[in-house]
Amino acid sequence: MIKMSAGERVEISLKINGKVYEERTEPRKLLSDFLREECGLSGTHVGCEHGVCGACTVLVDGAAVRSCLMFAIQAEGADIQTVEGLAKDGQPHSLQKAFSECHALQCGFCTPGILMSAVDFLDSHADPTTDEIKEMLSGHLCRCTGYKGIIDAIEQAAFRRKEGENVNGSGDTI
Amino acid sequence: MKQNRIGQPMARVEDARLTSGQGTFIEDLNPLPNIHHAAILRSPYPHARIKAIRTEKAERMPGVKGVVTGEDIARMTVPFPVGVTAPVKYYSLAVEKVRFVGEPVAVVVAKNRYLAEDALEAIEVDYEPLPAVVDIEKALEQDAPLLHDEVGSNIANHRFFDYGDVDRAFAEADHVIKHKFRFPKYSATPVETYGVIAQYESSGNHLTIWSNFHGPFTLQSVMAAALQMPSNHLRIIIPKDVGGSYGIKSGVFPYMVLMGVVSKKLGLPVKWIEDRQEHLTASSSGTDRVTWIEAAVKLDGTVTGLKMKMADSVGGYIRAPEPACLYRTHSNSTGAYRIPNLHMETIAVMTNKSPTGLIRGYGGQQLYFPLERIMHMIAEQLGMDPADVIRRNLIQTEEFPYTTPSGGVYDSGDYTAAFEKALEMANYREFRERQAKAREEGKYLGIGLACIVEPSGSNMGYITIALTPEQRAKSLPKSGSAEGATVSIDPMGGIAVRISTTPTGQGHETVAAQIVGEVLGVDPQSVRVIAEMDTLTSPWSVASGSYSSRFASIGSSAVYKAAEKVRDKLLNIAAEQLKQPPAALDIENGKVIVRDDPQQQLSLKRLIGSAHWNPQGLPSGMEPGIHETAFYSMDNALPPDENDHVNGSATYGFVADAVTVEIDADTGEVKILDYFTVHDAGKLLNPLIVEGQIMGGLVHGLGGALYEELAYDSNGHFLTGSFMDYLCPTATEIPDVTIKHFETASPLTPLGAKGLGEGNTMSAPAVIANAVADALSPLGITIDSLPLTPSRIWSMMQDAHKSTKQSKEVPI
């Protein structure tokens, strides 16, 4: 077990959205606070700090994780993706596009976490049913939309991804 | 270009930033150097005297810059004003006593939030616990524990109203049907909690506060009064992105004052971000209400009179804008029905629970739950179909504009058509047959109906109905619903719109762009809308803010009027240059053209250029530049009259719901089979946003019906301090919802629009309760409280089975 004295700072090195960050922080710093305060990535939002609302979800080594339930120090050496890294070369991710088209967000506070969970979900569910999407979404709270637009958007992104595969066979998202 | 204009489902301009992590919410802001962080120590007791607070240890801890307690607050502020005569002293920190679990007791400021929270543990408070009261009826009793000695009872506001001839209606009634209903205390729990940044400058006695508030409306003056500052020394800035509110964030205002005082005392800019437990325990909520309702009914189901006694629990302190929950629906107390005689008794009672305030639907859900339940109970007692009772009482199309007994003027609608549509969508007759068959198989199927009027755009005068006509006569009458907007164009032709409607997710930027795009004949995507609100630079008035669905009816009208002023100016410039009267000109596709000779045209860019680059070439007397502000208020928003009649809202929409449910006989769980809802919100400005608003409001109503409750035990201890205890609907709980629209344009608003987005929050608890009651009617179960959790329903079903068994066993 690692022993730390109060107030001691630790060095953390990790990769976020492809860029390496070397930071010093308190061992008790939550990953969510670390991302926002030390790395300046304020797109990850904190809604409950007890792992229910899902707003703070990020990908840690490809898996959707609640960053409020994890210390930054536990992410040492990890490869993290946040909402800021979704768009590539100025082009929005298929989910970002579908969220706007299907009016899947209103205030947008819960959206980054839902997007990150949906990225993980679609990676493992190429052809999801509506019930599977709802099941995945049940780990997120949204008080604006009533979820309908979000479900539609994820279905649309999944559909387009599948269509893309049919067209060029490469598996690339559109 | 037409596809993005008014009435089209234009995709939102807000989305790109919000889906890429570039929103700017309060917690993301660091507008000043040297910001320190606050944490709040809160009361563990529902009711106690504070004997002593010792802060020395905390003040000596690493990184701590200071501590603020009730003594500081009592010295540096005065109690918040509130619109009742009861002398309730409400401060932003507890002074001498605590009156609910979670009440702020002290504030620690430190270098960061972690250190501030460490120091909270080092503060010692000696409490002398006092008996607490949380039940509305108990709090009204003579010997109830008294929260505020100065008031003499727990009643903060109490009024009686009589409209028409109620005694006669009841004397001549064939039936009087009455019941008592309880509506629970619940919230809307925006996923973003409260946040405040405050900076006090002693050099000029200026206080700047950033917060995810959705005022300023009347509460800017309440804050300035508590701080005893000239109102222009209190600058409030609201970020353009606010993570949801649904009314709840109006309750951040005491914390804005608190952090202002903290910044003043410690001489530092201070930031406070509420955590979820704090939010659930102590932020704000709707009121819980007990309603005693009586209906005078004729043999054919016609309701001729209503009596309602309504008692709202406003928590430990009555806080502005309460007791408004009791009066927000005053003008539409008889709902969608032609009921000419009305008696009401309204009571705001203080209990040892968290203070209340705005919440989506404000007062509507508390009103329609008893009203719509009693319509079904009338049908039951008269042996009629509930659809027929509703039909018989609905206001008819030819009666519009319809004046309610309490003074509301419903502007337009076709209630019968909308209601029949809802029945048709639900296959009402067929469902009744299906239900009969299911009952034979021991299954509990039910259908509920509700028809509600959705008021929007509140008249500032309605709140003063809390006072008697004599009390009102002592001060300036209050009326109107004013909102402002500015449209400006820069020298290179860039169009900017400044709104003061403090959106919290409703897409005001998009709709404002659509409106300005249409009026000025340009692509809405090219219009830049600034939603950030600043009380020193934004066009605003006492009604400005986001509440009572007022954007569609009022906020959008201000934008429209400001855009029209700009349009008129451009047309006048063009008229002189084209030597045509302005009336002969049209504006479209970035040009002004002569309608009858389209070859004659001028680009907007050139006309705008004239106003900036060559003011000498403008028509004589015209001001240079293009910067127009308009304020809009509804002419029908008059002060209450001496007989307590008031038209509380600008416009009135309509919602008819039909909901089918099945109750699990083994678990008591309610499964919603289908939710059909028919809306009439006048002309729709953006159908995409409309659907989202309706779904969101509906799911919030569903939460109130089935899951959400801020629960206390009988001693006043709070039971639902996490999202594991306070249950919000998630995606798996959402039923199939079918939405249908009628668009009966409002004759009163320039665009024919009415507010929407709160209707189903008001109707869902009532309609679901009606459906559940219908399903369980073979067991003789009455539904008169919410939420309808499986454990409650299961217990009721068990009791019903037991009593049937007993009555069979006991010979009479």
mmCIF file of all heavy atoms in Angstrom, chain A residues 28 30 33 36 45 47 50 52 83 96 100 103 105-107 115 134 143-145 147, chain B residues 12 15 19 28 114 118 188-189 246 276 505 688 692-693 696 708 723-724 728-729:
data_model
loop_
_atom_site.group_PDB
_atom_site.id
_atom_site.type_symbol
_atom_site.label_atom_id
_atom_site.label_comp_id
_atom_site.label_asym_id
_atom_site.label_seq_id
_atom_site.Cartn_x
_atom_site.Cartn_y
_atom_site.Cartn_z
ATOM 1 N N ARG A 28 -5.109 13.055 -2.806
ATOM 2 C CA ARG A 28 -6.558 12.900 -2.628
ATOM 3 C C ARG A 28 -7.367 13.603 -3.724
ATOM 4 O O ARG A 28 -8.591 13.598 -3.679
ATOM 5 C CB ARG A 28 -6.979 13.442 -1.267
ATOM 6 C CG ARG A 28 -6.733 14.932 -1.098
ATOM 7 C CD ARG A 28 -7.356 15.417 0.195
ATOM 8 N NE ARG A 28 -6.990 16.779 0.516
ATOM 9 C CZ ARG A 28 -7.521 17.462 1.519
ATOM 10 N NH1 ARG A 28 -8.415 16.878 2.294
ATOM 11 N NH2 ARG A 28 -7.147 18.688 1.772
ATOM 12 N N LEU A 30 -9.473 14.208 -6.756
ATOM 13 C CA LEU A 30 -10.287 13.357 -7.620
ATOM 14 C C LEU A 30 -9.857 13.548 -9.066
ATOM 15 O O LEU A 30 -9.422 14.636 -9.457
ATOM 16 C CB LEU A 30 -11.766 13.720 -7.486
ATOM 17 C CG LEU A 30 -12.377 13.560 -6.095
ATOM 18 C CD1 LEU A 30 -13.819 14.067 -6.106
ATOM 19 C CD2 LEU A 30 -12.337 12.106 -5.647
ATOM 20 N N ASP A 33 -11.641 16.542 -10.603
ATOM 21 C CA ASP A 33 -11.071 17.848 -10.235
ATOM 22 C C ASP A 33 -9.711 18.054 -10.913
ATOM 23 O O ASP A 33 -9.370 19.159 -11.326
ATOM 24 C CB ASP A 33 -10.911 17.957 -8.709
ATOM 25 C CG ASP A 33 -12.249 18.084 -8.000
ATOM 26 O OD1 ASP A 33 -13.253 18.384 -8.671
ATOM 27 O OD2 ASP A 33 -12.299 17.882 -6.771
ATOM 28 N N ARG A 36 -10.192 19.088 -14.517
ATOM 29 C CA ARG A 36 -10.730 20.438 -14.633
ATOM 30 C C ARG A 36 -9.728 21.490 -14.157
ATOM 31 O O ARG A 36 -9.528 22.521 -14.810
ATOM 32 C CB ARG A 36 -12.024 20.571 -13.816
ATOM 33 C CG ARG A 36 -13.189 19.739 -14.348
ATOM 34 C CD ARG A 36 -14.419 19.925 -13.461
ATOM 35 N NE ARG A 36 -14.727 21.337 -13.312
ATOM 36 C CZ ARG A 36 -15.398 22.046 -14.210
ATOM 37 N NH1 ARG A 36 -15.875 21.476 -15.282
ATOM 38 N NH2 ARG A 36 -15.605 23.335 -14.022
ATOM 39 N N HIS A 45 -17.827 17.540 -16.558
ATOM 40 C CA HIS A 45 -18.617 18.234 -15.535
ATOM 41 C C HIS A 45 -18.847 17.354 -14.306
ATOM 42 O O HIS A 45 -18.886 16.133 -14.413
ATOM 43 C CB HIS A 45 -19.969 18.658 -16.113
ATOM 44 C CG HIS A 45 -19.831 19.637 -17.231
ATOM 45 N ND1 HIS A 45 -20.753 19.761 -18.243
ATOM 46 C CD2 HIS A 45 -18.863 20.551 -17.507
ATOM 47 C CE1 HIS A 45 -20.368 20.702 -19.081
ATOM 48 N NE2 HIS A 45 -19.228 21.192 -18.665
ATOM 49 N N GLY A 47 -21.488 16.535 -11.340
ATOM 50 C CA GLY A 47 -22.885 16.752 -10.989
ATOM 51 C C GLY A 47 -23.284 16.231 -9.626
ATOM 52 O O GLY A 47 -24.224 16.735 -9.018
ATOM 53 N N HIS A 50 -20.974 11.431 -6.326
ATOM 54 C CA HIS A 50 -21.113 10.101 -5.739
ATOM 55 C C HIS A 50 -21.490 9.041 -6.766
ATOM 56 O O HIS A 50 -22.086 8.026 -6.435
ATOM 57 C CB HIS A 50 -22.005 10.093 -4.494
ATOM 58 C CG HIS A 50 -23.400 10.638 -4.683
ATOM 59 N ND1 HIS A 50 -23.724 11.953 -4.509
ATOM 60 C CD2 HIS A 50 -24.554 10.021 -5.015
ATOM 61 C CE1 HIS A 50 -25.017 12.134 -4.715
ATOM 62 N NE2 HIS A 50 -25.550 10.989 -5.035
ATOM 63 N N VAL A 52 -23.544 8.744 -9.366
ATOM 64 C CA VAL A 52 -24.874 8.390 -9.844
ATOM 65 C C VAL A 52 -25.243 9.145 -11.117
ATOM 66 O O VAL A 52 -25.822 8.571 -12.043
ATOM 67 C CB VAL A 52 -25.952 8.636 -8.767
ATOM 68 C CG1 VAL A 52 -27.323 8.203 -9.280
ATOM 69 C CG2 VAL A 52 -25.616 7.883 -7.494
ATOM 70 N N VAL A 83 -14.351 14.754 -23.494
ATOM 71 C CA VAL A 83 -15.199 15.308 -24.552
ATOM 72 C C VAL A 83 -14.407 16.248 -25.465
ATOM 73 O O VAL A 83 -14.693 16.366 -26.656
ATOM 74 C CB VAL A 83 -16.424 16.011 -23.922
ATOM 75 C CG1 VAL A 83 -16.012 17.280 -23.175
ATOM 76 C CG2 VAL A 83 -17.480 16.327 -24.957
ATOM 77 N N GLN A 96 -21.569 13.614 -31.747
ATOM 78 C CA GLN A 96 -21.783 15.052 -31.532
ATOM 79 C C GLN A 96 -22.790 15.591 -32.554
ATOM 80 O O GLN A 96 -23.689 16.362 -32.221
ATOM 81 C CB GLN A 96 -20.452 15.808 -31.662
ATOM 82 C CG GLN A 96 -19.506 15.555 -30.495
ATOM 83 C CD GLN A 96 -18.129 16.164 -30.731
ATOM 84 O OE1 GLN A 96 -17.505 15.933 -31.761
ATOM 85 N NE2 GLN A 96 -17.655 16.946 -29.777
ATOM 86 N N SER A 100 -26.916 16.951 -31.868
ATOM 87 C CA SER A 100 -27.510 18.224 -32.268
ATOM 88 C C SER A 100 -28.723 17.986 -33.162
ATOM 89 O O SER A 100 -29.783 18.586 -32.963
ATOM 90 C CB SER A 100 -26.473 19.089 -32.986
ATOM 91 O OG SER A 100 -27.042 20.334 -33.296
ATOM 92 N N HIS A 103 -31.772 16.870 -31.210
ATOM 93 C CA HIS A 103 -32.080 17.694 -30.029
ATOM 94 C C HIS A 103 -31.909 16.869 -28.752
ATOM 95 O O HIS A 103 -32.799 16.794 -27.907
ATOM 96 C CB HIS A 103 -33.490 18.260 -30.134
ATOM 97 C CG HIS A 103 -33.792 19.337 -29.127
ATOM 98 N ND1 HIS A 103 -32.830 20.162 -28.590
ATOM 99 C CD2 HIS A 103 -34.958 19.725 -28.550
ATOM 100 C CE1 HIS A 103 -33.395 20.986 -27.740
ATOM 101 N NE2 HIS A 103 -34.681 20.749 -27.691
ATOM 102 N N LEU A 105 -29.847 17.440 -26.419
ATOM 103 C CA LEU A 105 -29.337 18.213 -25.287
ATOM 104 C C LEU A 105 -30.103 19.523 -25.186
ATOM 105 O O LEU A 105 -30.591 20.039 -26.182
ATOM 106 C CB LEU A 105 -27.843 18.501 -25.441
ATOM 107 C CG LEU A 105 -27.417 19.394 -26.611
ATOM 108 C CD1 LEU A 105 -26.179 20.188 -26.237
ATOM 109 C CD2 LEU A 105 -27.142 18.547 -27.831
ATOM 110 N N GLN A 106 -30.220 20.011 -23.971
ATOM 111 C CA GLN A 106 -30.797 21.339 -23.764
ATOM 112 C C GLN A 106 -29.776 22.199 -23.038
ATOM 113 O O GLN A 106 -29.059 22.973 -23.651
ATOM 114 C CB GLN A 106 -32.139 21.239 -23.048
ATOM 115 C CG GLN A 106 -33.205 20.617 -23.969
ATOM 116 C CD GLN A 106 -34.564 20.473 -23.335
ATOM 117 O OE1 GLN A 106 -34.915 21.159 -22.386
ATOM 118 N NE2 GLN A 106 -35.371 19.566 -23.854
ATOM 119 N N CYS A 107 -29.646 22.027 -21.713
ATOM 120 C CA CYS A 107 -28.639 22.847 -21.024
ATOM 121 C C CYS A 107 -27.233 22.354 -21.329
ATOM 122 O O CYS A 107 -26.266 23.099 -21.218
ATOM 123 C CB CYS A 107 -28.886 22.896 -19.521
ATOM 124 S SG CYS A 107 -28.365 21.425 -18.609
ATOM 125 N N LEU A 115 -22.005 11.551 -23.818
ATOM 126 C CA LEU A 115 -21.267 11.306 -25.061
ATOM 127 C C LEU A 115 -20.158 10.284 -24.834
ATOM 128 O O LEU A 115 -19.969 9.369 -25.638
ATOM 129 C CB LEU A 115 -20.660 12.621 -25.582
ATOM 130 C CG LEU A 115 -21.636 13.589 -26.262
ATOM 131 C CD1 LEU A 115 -20.958 14.945 -26.488
ATOM 132 C CD2 LEU A 115 -22.128 13.026 -27.599
ATOM 133 N N LYS A 134 -31.175 2.286 -23.704
ATOM 134 C CA LYS A 134 -31.787 2.797 -22.465
ATOM 135 C C LYS A 134 -31.047 2.274 -21.239
ATOM 136 O O LYS A 134 -30.824 3.000 -20.278
ATOM 137 C CB LYS A 134 -33.257 2.370 -22.383
ATOM 138 C CG LYS A 134 -34.184 3.144 -23.302
ATOM 139 C CD LYS A 134 -35.619 2.695 -23.049
ATOM 140 C CE LYS A 134 -36.627 3.583 -23.755
ATOM 141 N NZ LYS A 134 -38.003 3.196 -23.436
ATOM 142 N N ARG A 143 -32.020 16.053 -16.703
ATOM 143 C CA ARG A 143 -33.307 16.572 -16.243
ATOM 144 C C ARG A 143 -33.987 17.457 -17.281
ATOM 145 O O ARG A 143 -35.076 17.959 -17.040
ATOM 146 C CB ARG A 143 -33.155 17.348 -14.922
ATOM 147 C CG ARG A 143 -32.553 16.608 -13.737
ATOM 148 C CD ARG A 143 -33.169 15.264 -13.364
ATOM 149 N NE ARG A 143 -34.599 15.144 -13.356
ATOM 150 C CZ ARG A 143 -35.377 15.139 -12.280
ATOM 151 N NH1 ARG A 143 -34.864 15.280 -11.092
ATOM 152 N NH2 ARG A 143 -36.666 14.989 -12.376
ATOM 153 N N CYS A 144 -33.337 17.677 -18.420
ATOM 154 C CA CYS A 144 -33.921 18.561 -19.439
ATOM 155 C C CYS A 144 -34.727 17.816 -20.494
ATOM 156 O O CYS A 144 -35.804 18.246 -20.861
ATOM 157 C CB CYS A 144 -32.824 19.327 -20.179
ATOM 158 S SG CYS A 144 -31.984 20.612 -19.252
ATOM 159 N N THR A 145 -34.144 16.740 -21.033
ATOM 160 C CA THR A 145 -34.656 16.225 -22.307
ATOM 161 C C THR A 145 -35.714 15.140 -22.188
ATOM 162 O O THR A 145 -36.401 14.851 -23.164
ATOM 163 C CB THR A 145 -33.515 15.604 -23.142
ATOM 164 O OG1 THR A 145 -32.987 14.476 -22.410
ATOM 165 C CG2 THR A 145 -32.404 16.597 -23.396
ATOM 166 N N TYR A 147 -34.827 12.242 -22.120
ATOM 167 C CA TYR A 147 -34.017 11.167 -22.718
ATOM 168 C C TYR A 147 -34.369 10.799 -24.156
ATOM 169 O O TYR A 147 -33.595 10.133 -24.824
ATOM 170 C CB TYR A 147 -34.057 9.889 -21.854
ATOM 171 C CG TYR A 147 -33.636 10.111 -20.421
ATOM 172 C CD1 TYR A 147 -34.579 10.196 -19.396
ATOM 173 C CD2 TYR A 147 -32.294 10.274 -20.083
ATOM 174 C CE1 TYR A 147 -34.193 10.415 -18.077
ATOM 175 C CE2 TYR A 147 -31.904 10.491 -18.768
ATOM 176 C CZ TYR A 147 -32.870 10.556 -17.768
ATOM 177 O OH TYR A 147 -32.488 10.780 -16.463
ATOM 178 N N ARG B 12 -29.995 23.811 -33.038
ATOM 179 C CA ARG B 12 -29.658 24.877 -32.098
ATOM 180 C C ARG B 12 -28.227 25.394 -32.270
ATOM 181 O O ARG B 12 -27.291 24.618 -32.446
ATOM 182 C CB ARG B 12 -29.833 24.377 -30.671
ATOM 183 C CG ARG B 12 -31.241 23.869 -30.376
ATOM 184 C CD ARG B 12 -31.474 23.708 -28.906
ATOM 185 N NE ARG B 12 -30.282 23.295 -28.217
ATOM 186 C CZ ARG B 12 -30.077 23.499 -26.919
ATOM 187 N NH1 ARG B 12 -30.992 24.125 -26.195
ATOM 188 N NH2 ARG B 12 -28.982 23.086 -26.337
ATOM 189 N N ASP B 15 -25.585 24.128 -29.595
ATOM 190 C CA ASP B 15 -25.152 22.733 -29.482
ATOM 191 C C ASP B 15 -23.663 22.512 -29.708
ATOM 192 O O ASP B 15 -23.053 21.684 -29.020
ATOM 193 C CB ASP B 15 -25.951 21.854 -30.452
ATOM 194 C CG ASP B 15 -27.410 21.723 -30.033
ATOM 195 O OD1 ASP B 15 -27.733 22.129 -28.899
ATOM 196 O OD2 ASP B 15 -28.213 21.219 -30.825
ATOM 197 N N THR B 19 -21.558 20.328 -27.016
ATOM 198 C CA THR B 19 -21.170 18.940 -27.281
ATOM 199 C C THR B 19 -19.656 18.794 -27.397
ATOM 200 O O THR B 19 -19.158 17.691 -27.559
ATOM 201 C CB THR B 19 -21.803 18.404 -28.582
ATOM 202 O OG1 THR B 19 -21.487 19.311 -29.640
ATOM 203 C CG2 THR B 19 -23.299 18.253 -28.450
ATOM 204 N N ASP B 28 -16.787 26.750 -14.470
ATOM 205 C CA ASP B 28 -15.678 26.897 -15.423
ATOM 206 C C ASP B 28 -15.074 28.302 -15.373
ATOM 207 O O ASP B 28 -14.007 28.531 -15.932
ATOM 208 C CB ASP B 28 -16.162 26.642 -16.857
ATOM 209 C CG ASP B 28 -16.881 25.312 -16.996
ATOM 210 O OD1 ASP B 28 -16.574 24.400 -16.204
ATOM 211 O OD2 ASP B 28 -17.748 25.196 -17.879
ATOM 212 N N TYR B 114 -10.756 21.753 -1.079
ATOM 213 C CA TYR B 114 -10.362 20.642 -0.214
ATOM 214 C C TYR B 114 -9.978 21.169 1.168
ATOM 215 O O TYR B 114 -10.397 20.635 2.203
ATOM 216 C CB TYR B 114 -9.188 19.868 -0.829
ATOM 217 C CG TYR B 114 -9.540 19.007 -2.028
ATOM 218 C CD1 TYR B 114 -9.911 19.581 -3.243
ATOM 219 C CD2 TYR B 114 -9.495 17.624 -1.954
ATOM 220 C CE1 TYR B 114 -10.214 18.803 -4.345
ATOM 221 C CE2 TYR B 114 -9.798 16.826 -3.064
ATOM 222 C CZ TYR B 114 -10.161 17.431 -4.256
ATOM 223 O OH TYR B 114 -10.472 16.649 -5.337
ATOM 224 N N ASP B 118 -11.770 20.683 4.855
ATOM 225 C CA ASP B 118 -11.019 20.189 6.024
ATOM 226 C C ASP B 118 -11.340 21.049 7.242
ATOM 227 O O ASP B 118 -11.546 20.540 8.349
ATOM 228 C CB ASP B 118 -9.503 20.283 5.774
ATOM 229 C CG ASP B 118 -9.009 19.235 4.780
ATOM 230 O OD1 ASP B 118 -9.769 18.291 4.495
ATOM 231 O OD2 ASP B 118 -7.872 19.390 4.294
ATOM 232 N N ALA B 188 -36.363 19.557 -8.826
ATOM 233 C CA ALA B 188 -36.128 19.216 -10.222
ATOM 234 C C ALA B 188 -34.660 18.854 -10.405
ATOM 235 O O ALA B 188 -34.252 18.470 -11.481
ATOM 236 C CB ALA B 188 -36.499 20.376 -11.132
ATOM 237 N N THR B 189 -33.889 19.007 -9.337
ATOM 238 C CA THR B 189 -32.470 18.634 -9.271
ATOM 239 C C THR B 189 -31.697 18.853 -10.564
ATOM 240 O O THR B 189 -31.273 17.894 -11.198
ATOM 241 C CB THR B 189 -32.292 17.148 -8.854
ATOM 242 O OG1 THR B 189 -32.831 16.302 -9.863
ATOM 243 C CG2 THR B 189 -32.952 16.885 -7.531
ATOM 244 N N TYR B 246 -35.091 24.797 -14.086
ATOM 245 C CA TYR B 246 -36.499 24.410 -13.884
ATOM 246 C C TYR B 246 -37.051 25.142 -12.656
ATOM 247 O O TYR B 246 -37.860 24.595 -11.903
ATOM 248 C CB TYR B 246 -36.626 22.881 -13.724
ATOM 249 C CG TYR B 246 -35.521 22.137 -14.450
ATOM 250 C CD1 TYR B 246 -34.414 21.644 -13.761
ATOM 251 C CD2 TYR B 246 -35.556 22.013 -15.830
ATOM 252 C CE1 TYR B 246 -33.376 21.023 -14.436
ATOM 253 C CE2 TYR B 246 -34.518 21.398 -16.505
ATOM 254 C CZ TYR B 246 -33.437 20.895 -15.797
ATOM 255 O OH TYR B 246 -32.395 20.292 -16.452
ATOM 256 N N ARG B 276 -23.713 18.014 -4.201
ATOM 257 C CA ARG B 276 -25.045 17.432 -4.414
ATOM 258 C C ARG B 276 -25.807 17.234 -3.108
ATOM 259 O O ARG B 276 -27.025 17.431 -3.053
ATOM 260 C CB ARG B 276 -24.901 16.104 -5.175
ATOM 261 C CG ARG B 276 -26.197 15.402 -5.479
ATOM 262 C CD ARG B 276 -27.191 16.254 -6.249
ATOM 263 N NE ARG B 276 -26.657 16.738 -7.504
ATOM 264 C CZ ARG B 276 -27.297 17.589 -8.295
ATOM 265 N NH1 ARG B 276 -28.506 18.048 -7.983
ATOM 266 N NH2 ARG B 276 -26.734 18.010 -9.404
ATOM 267 N N GLY B 505 -31.123 26.338 -20.890
ATOM 268 C CA GLY B 505 -31.206 25.156 -21.740
ATOM 269 C C GLY B 505 -32.352 25.183 -22.742
ATOM 270 O O GLY B 505 -32.514 24.259 -23.518
ATOM 271 N N LEU B 688 -38.671 21.672 -33.085
ATOM 272 C CA LEU B 688 -37.653 20.792 -32.516
ATOM 273 C C LEU B 688 -37.505 21.077 -31.019
ATOM 274 O O LEU B 688 -37.507 20.165 -30.179
ATOM 275 C CB LEU B 688 -36.320 21.042 -33.240
ATOM 276 C CG LEU B 688 -35.147 20.140 -32.893
ATOM 277 C CD1 LEU B 688 -35.351 18.754 -33.497
ATOM 278 C CD2 LEU B 688 -33.829 20.732 -33.421
ATOM 279 N N GLY B 692 -38.651 18.890 -27.362
ATOM 280 C CA GLY B 692 -37.710 18.689 -26.252
ATOM 281 C C GLY B 692 -38.238 19.263 -24.956
ATOM 282 O O GLY B 692 -38.115 18.657 -23.888
ATOM 283 N N GLN B 693 -38.844 20.445 -25.039
ATOM 284 C CA GLN B 693 -39.397 21.067 -23.832
ATOM 285 C C GLN B 693 -40.537 20.226 -23.264
ATOM 286 O O GLN B 693 -40.654 20.046 -22.050
ATOM 287 C CB GLN B 693 -39.911 22.475 -24.161
ATOM 288 C CG GLN B 693 -38.808 23.511 -24.320
ATOM 289 C CD GLN B 693 -38.025 23.701 -23.040
ATOM 290 O OE1 GLN B 693 -38.595 23.852 -21.967
ATOM 291 N NE2 GLN B 693 -36.718 23.658 -23.143
ATOM 292 N N GLY B 696 -39.179 16.962 -21.680
ATOM 293 C CA GLY B 696 -38.495 17.245 -20.419
ATOM 294 C C GLY B 696 -39.479 17.550 -19.311
ATOM 295 O O GLY B 696 -39.359 17.038 -18.189
ATOM 296 N N GLU B 708 -40.090 10.942 -7.158
ATOM 297 C CA GLU B 708 -39.304 11.978 -6.481
ATOM 298 C C GLU B 708 -39.990 12.498 -5.220
ATOM 299 O O GLU B 708 -41.157 12.876 -5.252
ATOM 300 C CB GLU B 708 -39.065 13.159 -7.434
ATOM 301 C CG GLU B 708 -38.262 12.762 -8.655
ATOM 302 C CD GLU B 708 -37.993 13.928 -9.589
ATOM 303 O OE1 GLU B 708 -37.535 14.981 -9.127
ATOM 304 O OE2 GLU B 708 -38.257 13.781 -10.793
ATOM 305 N N PHE B 723 -28.427 10.888 -4.581
ATOM 306 C CA PHE B 723 -29.202 10.384 -5.723
ATOM 307 C C PHE B 723 -29.500 8.889 -5.595
ATOM 308 O O PHE B 723 -30.150 8.314 -6.450
ATOM 309 C CB PHE B 723 -28.470 10.678 -7.033
ATOM 310 C CG PHE B 723 -28.738 12.052 -7.591
ATOM 311 C CD1 PHE B 723 -27.750 12.737 -8.283
ATOM 312 C CD2 PHE B 723 -29.978 12.653 -7.462
ATOM 313 C CE1 PHE B 723 -27.990 13.987 -8.819
ATOM 314 C CE2 PHE B 723 -30.235 13.908 -7.989
ATOM 315 C CZ PHE B 723 -29.235 14.578 -8.673
ATOM 316 N N MET B 724 -28.986 8.269 -4.521
ATOM 317 C CA MET B 724 -29.399 6.891 -4.260
ATOM 318 C C MET B 724 -30.724 6.876 -3.496
ATOM 319 O O MET B 724 -31.426 5.872 -3.494
ATOM 320 C CB MET B 724 -28.334 6.149 -3.437
ATOM 321 C CG MET B 724 -27.359 5.378 -4.306
ATOM 322 S SD MET B 724 -25.926 6.347 -4.756
ATOM 323 C CE MET B 724 -24.817 5.944 -3.433
ATOM 324 N N CYS B 728 -34.545 10.021 -9.391
ATOM 325 C CA CYS B 728 -34.955 10.745 -10.591
ATOM 326 C C CYS B 728 -35.245 9.714 -11.681
ATOM 327 O O CYS B 728 -34.605 8.676 -11.724
ATOM 328 C CB CYS B 728 -33.826 11.644 -11.083
ATOM 329 S SG CYS B 728 -33.204 12.760 -9.839
ATOM 330 N N PRO B 729 -36.176 10.015 -12.569
ATOM 331 C CA PRO B 729 -36.416 9.090 -13.671
ATOM 332 C C PRO B 729 -35.155 8.946 -14.532
ATOM 333 O O PRO B 729 -34.481 9.946 -14.794
ATOM 334 C CB PRO B 729 -37.528 9.755 -14.480
ATOM 335 C CG PRO B 729 -38.080 10.834 -13.618
ATOM 336 C CD PRO B 729 -37.023 11.212 -12.641
#
